[in-house]
Amino acid sequence: MAPVPPRSRRRGLPATAARTARKLGEIRRAQLITTYGVGAMIAVENESFLVRGIDSWDISEAPFISEPRLAWQLGVAGFRMPPAPDTDSARDGVRAVRFPEMYSCPTCHQLQPFRKFNSSPKRAECSTCQESLVPSRFVMACAHGHLEDFPYWKWVHRGNRTGSGSCGGQLTFQADGSTASLRAVLIGCSCGVEKVSMEGSFRRQALRELGIGCSGRRPWLKDAPAESCKEPPRTLQRGSSSVWFPVMHSALSIPPWSQGIAKLVAPLYDRLRKEDAAAIKAYVRIEKLLLHHPRYTDEDVVTEVERRRAAETAAAEQLDDAEAAKRAGDYRLKLYEGEYQSLSKPHPEDAAEEQEFVCEPPITPIDDLHSSHGLTQVMLVKRLREVRVLQSFRRVEEPSPADSQLRQAALSLKKPSWLPAFEVSGEGVFLRLDPKRLRTWEEQPDQVARATRIRENHERLLSARAGDSDKPVPSSPATPRFLLLHALAHILINEWSLDGGYPAASLRERIYSDEDMAGVLIYTATSDSAGSLGGVVAQGEPDRLATSLRAALHRASWCSNDPLCMESEASGADSLNAAACHACLLLPETSCENNNILLDRAALVGTPETPSIGFFHEALK
């Protein structure tokens, strides 16, 4: 990763040196999607940098990732992995810019922009004390994604209404270490004003009360103009998770897009999408595209390109259809419907094909599981591929389906034609519940009442997050069916992490809950072959599944926090859970696609007073 070269700070510095990008270090590609994506800060030794927008990345050697269903839903042509150029030959890759700009010296306590310290090239040290500088611990951000340095001058001169820096004094930053509180962090100025601690700076209205507003800065985007913003800014720690929340989407590669001619054409589609049939055939002949694929012809390539064009056009029309958008609520419904249908049908392994999706039923019948636990289908997903995409990011408050467009911090100045992504491979087990038994269960008044309390709390939160946005407020998915499927996924992940040898953080869930869907996929996926060793698929064999499911349900029937846990009518963040806590249902954040909300253990096993409201209460007898 190379930052944007800083301006020359030393007299006599050659012009060529100012144009040479400095290599900061290396991070994994996946981290540029999940942890250190566009707009996130990275600490490099005693310096801090902000990852620049994707329009500044050198993607000439970045691999293309094909997942057409997800690309059409997100309105882009495709995806690319973050660039990872050869360090010996490449000079550029992902760029970064220094942020925050304010640094302090731990010896002389000066607090000023980095350039004023006159540091030697490629080092961050005070030219007077020869001491390593420290990046500002505090930044200022707003819920619309804007970011800037904390206004130290205004904070210490809070009673002075003159312009910023007009006193002509030198700011100082001092942390005496006597306590860990903000009271021990003192900001001063040589003009003689009294030193002020940082205590109180994190209050929600602290900056607004001083007349400090958001300036609309987007330092991760080169030459980005300041936006008009009325959102109140907040003080944040530089390393706080609230500074950067990724907004990620994912999709499983399913047939027909994951195999055969579709997989062969996928990396070439962006080049061939606007060509006619003759040009496509000429390209196939010149590039010898089918040399190692004799089972296909140039006509097959033309047909596949035309099929992709038609699907792309249909997806674009659907995105423009307000009624369809209102029905879908979000992008996931259409994607999940396709995945659910593929997971419900056998897709056996074909030695002649390079497949990314292999899904087969177990050899042993599941009649006992159906009669005792209400499972109507078990599928062993022996091979799967998942594409995870970074669409945007948020600041201050975690992402919500009700967020307005103003909260979606952009990855580039212009609307991008591609988005950064990475792919993982793995395996899993798909479980589907008996729809007839499920409909009878989810109509019970007691269970409906429990789900209604959670749904009302969730919809109240969604309405508050939507604010005055013109975007329709999405409905909460908190139905009895969803609560049941979600809780089932959690107890199985906990149980399989004990039986299968996988840590719970490496297992993930996908919940398929709708009027026509009632399934759970539990899978593991990594960027190497470790996600396809058979440990998860083995848990789906009927005999072992019956044993683990029985053990998981018995474990869920009693929590170490009972009776408080089971008797809770509203628990967790924003009261979006019922009977669920860290001792029974909650999982690591990487495992749950719903951030550990919308959970109720009673949907599985019932309550001591009314055990019949548990879907599996008969299996516990």
Side-chain angles (χ1 to χ4, degrees):
M1 182 178 66
V4 174
R7 294 182 179 179
S8 172
R9 294 180 298 275
R10 302 185 71 195
R11 295 180 180 178
L13 187 67
T16 55
R19 292 194 299 269
T20 302
R22 169 189 167 193
K23 179 181 177 181
L24 295 176
E26 299 176 355
I27 57 176
R28 296 192 302 273
R29 276 173 161 165
Q31 288 181 301
L32 280 165
I33 310 296
T34 60
T35 312
Y36 300 122
V38 174
M41 280 180 279
I42 302 179
V44 180
E45 296 180 351
N46 66 318
E47 300 177 79
S48 177
F49 297 89
L50 192 67
V51 178
R52 270 268 165 95
I54 60 175
D55 45 7
S56 69
W57 293 10
D58 179 7
I59 60 171
S60 58
E61 299 180 10
F64 178 83
I65 294 180
S66 173
E67 185 45 60
R69 296 188 312 125
L70 185 55
W72 297 332
Q73 292 294 327
L74 298 181
V76 295
F79 311 112
R80 287 186 178 271
M81 294 184 69
D86 184 356
T87 55
D88 296 329
S89 59
R91 298 180 57 191
D92 207 349
V94 175
R95 291 198 158 202
V97 63
R98 187 181 299 281
F99 190 89
E101 298 176 3
M102 298 295 287
Y103 277 64
S104 63
C105 173
T107 301
C108 64
H109 305 301
Q110 290 188 81
L111 174 65
Q112 59 188 2
F114 177 81
R115 64 182 182 276
K116 292 188 176 181
F117 282 101
N118 198 29
S119 298
S120 57
K122 299 185 179 180
R123 300 189 66 180
E125 64 179 18
C126 178
S127 58
T128 303
C129 309
Q130 305 301 313
E131 186 76 28
S132 295
L133 298 175
V134 179
S136 170
R137 286 172 48 185
F138 309 103
V139 296
M140 189 174 75
C142 80
H144 288 174
H146 303 127
L147 181 70
E148 56 190 299
D149 279 88
F150 181 81
Y152 290 103
W153 194 94
K154 292 183 179 180
W155 182 255
V156 74
H157 294 85
R158 57 183 64 184
N160 191 330
R161 295 299 178 184
T162 58
S164 176
S166 61
C167 70
Q170 170 65 55
L171 291 177
T172 61
F173 182 97
Q174 188 171 1
D176 58 19
S178 58
T179 68
S181 69
L182 293 174
R183 187 179 301 176
V185 180
L186 301 176
I187 312 298
C189 182
S190 62
C191 70
V193 297
E194 184 178 356
K195 290 185 178 181
V196 176
S197 74
M198 291 294 294
E199 186 177 23
S201 60
F202 282 78
R203 288 189 300 107
R204 181 177 294 270
Q205 299 296 330
L207 298 178
R208 171 179 277 187
E209 290 171 357
L210 296 179
I212 299 173
C214 177
S215 62
R217 288 193 60 205
R218 295 174 292 170
W220 66 95
L221 299 178
K222 185 178 181 181
D223 300 327
E227 297 181 320
S228 174
C229 181
K230 297 181 180 179
E231 189 72 13
R234 296 280 301 276
T235 303
L236 300 174
Q237 290 269 13
R238 172 168 52 89
S240 168
S241 60
S242 299
V243 173
W244 192 79
F245 292 106
V247 177
M248 296 178 57
H249 302 300
S250 70
L252 301 181
S253 297
I254 58 175
W257 309 102
S258 62
Q259 59 191 35
I261 189 66
K263 186 176 180 181
L264 182 65
V265 171
L268 306 171
Y269 176 66
D270 194 42
R271 182 180 300 178
L272 302 177
R273 63 194 304 174
K274 296 182 180 180
E275 303 293 343
D276 57 18
I280 294 174
K281 292 179 180 179
Y283 179 85
V284 171
R285 184 178 65 255
I286 294 171
E287 296 294 331
K288 300 180 180 180
L289 184 64
L290 304 178
L291 179 63
H292 300 292
H293 305 277
R295 62 188 301 179
Y296 302 120
T297 66
D298 54 1
E299 283 291 346
D300 293 330
V301 176
V302 172
T303 301
E304 176 60 23
V305 171
E306 291 175 347
R307 183 170 76 96
R308 284 177 175 263
R309 285 175 185 157
E312 189 175 34
T313 302
E317 292 174 352
Q318 185 180 32
L319 285 176
D320 293 336
D321 188 343
E323 289 301 321
K326 184 177 180 180
R327 173 186 170 273
D330 62 10
Y331 85 102
R332 294 201 303 180
L333 181 60
K334 197 70 176 177
L335 290 174
Y336 277 34
E337 286 176 349
E339 293 174 9
Y340 185 78
Q341 293 170 6
S342 292
L343 289 165
S344 302
K345 300 175 183 177
H347 291 85
E349 189 162 7
D350 185 355
E353 290 280 358
E354 185 179 348
Q355 296 170 285
E356 294 174 340
F357 186 84
V358 176
C359 180
E360 299 175 339
I363 298 176
T364 307
I366 64 165
D367 296 342
D368 292 342
L369 281 169
H370 182 229
S371 59
S372 61
H373 293 88
L375 296 183
T376 190
Q377 187 178 38
V378 176
M379 299 296 284
L380 307 180
V381 188
K382 299 181 178 180
R383 191 177 304 156
L384 63 81
R385 169 182 176 263
E386 182 187 17
V387 175
R388 302 173 186 170
V389 180
L390 176 66
Q391 184 193 30
S392 62
F393 63 91
R394 308 284 192 270
R395 301 198 194 276
V396 182
E397 297 174 340
E398 65 182 359
S400 166
D403 284 339
S404 68
Q405 293 290 331
L406 294 175
R407 288 209 64 211
Q408 299 179 14
L411 301 185
S412 62
L413 268 179
K414 297 181 180 179
K415 187 180 186 313
S417 61
W418 63 275
L419 291 171
F422 70 102
E423 55 188 352
V424 291
S425 58
E427 56 174 335
V429 175
F430 174 70
L431 309 176
R432 190 156 63 93
L433 299 183
D434 184 347
K436 183 177 180 180
R437 179 173 170 179
L438 184 59
R439 289 193 190 96
T440 301
W441 169 82
E442 63 187 356
E443 292 174 358
Q444 294 187 55
D446 288 344
Q447 187 55 49
V448 171
R450 293 180 70 91
T452 300
R453 284 198 303 268
I454 298 177
R455 185 173 63 253
E456 289 175 350
N457 290 340
H458 195 204
E459 290 181 341
R460 193 178 302 114
L461 177 65
L462 292 173
S463 298
R465 290 292 297 271
D468 298 329
S469 173
D470 295 334
K471 179 181 177 181
V473 179
S475 60
S476 171
T479 61
R481 178 177 301 203
F482 185 91
L483 297 180
L484 169 65
L485 293 169
H486 197 193
L488 175 63
H490 278 231
I491 64 168
L492 284 177
I493 287 176
N494 278 325
E495 191 67 28
W496 290 359
S497 68
L498 299 175
D499 291 347
Y502 287 95
S506 68
L507 297 174
R508 296 169 65 92
E509 66 176 12
R510 286 178 92 81
I511 310 299
Y512 301 94
S513 174
D514 195 45
E515 293 180 3
D516 301 320
M517 296 190 294
V520 170
L521 173 66
I522 300 174
Y523 66 103
T524 182
T526 64
S527 55
D528 54 27
S529 60
S532 306
L533 300 179
V536 176
V537 167
Q539 302 299 321
E541 295 295 340
D543 293 341
R544 180 173 290 186
L545 178 59
T547 301
S548 62
L549 183 55
R550 193 177 304 113
L553 289 171
H554 278 287
R555 198 186 302 273
S557 64
W558 180 256
C559 171
S560 61
N561 286 329
D562 278 342
L564 294 177
C565 178
M566 182 59 79
E567 293 177 354
S568 174
E569 295 185 355
S571 65
D574 299 304
S575 299
L576 298 180
N577 288 330
C581 69
H582 285 284
C584 56
L585 280 191
L586 302 190
L587 292 175
E589 292 182 359
T590 55
S591 300
C592 181
E593 64 177 357
N594 295 283
N595 295 323
N596 276 328
I597 63 172
L598 311 182
L599 289 163
D600 184 13
R601 185 161 48 96
L604 298 170
V605 299
T607 65
E609 296 79 13
T610 54
S612 61
I613 67 171
F615 184 83
F616 298 101
H617 77 279
E618 292 289 343
L620 292 170
K621 294 180 178 179

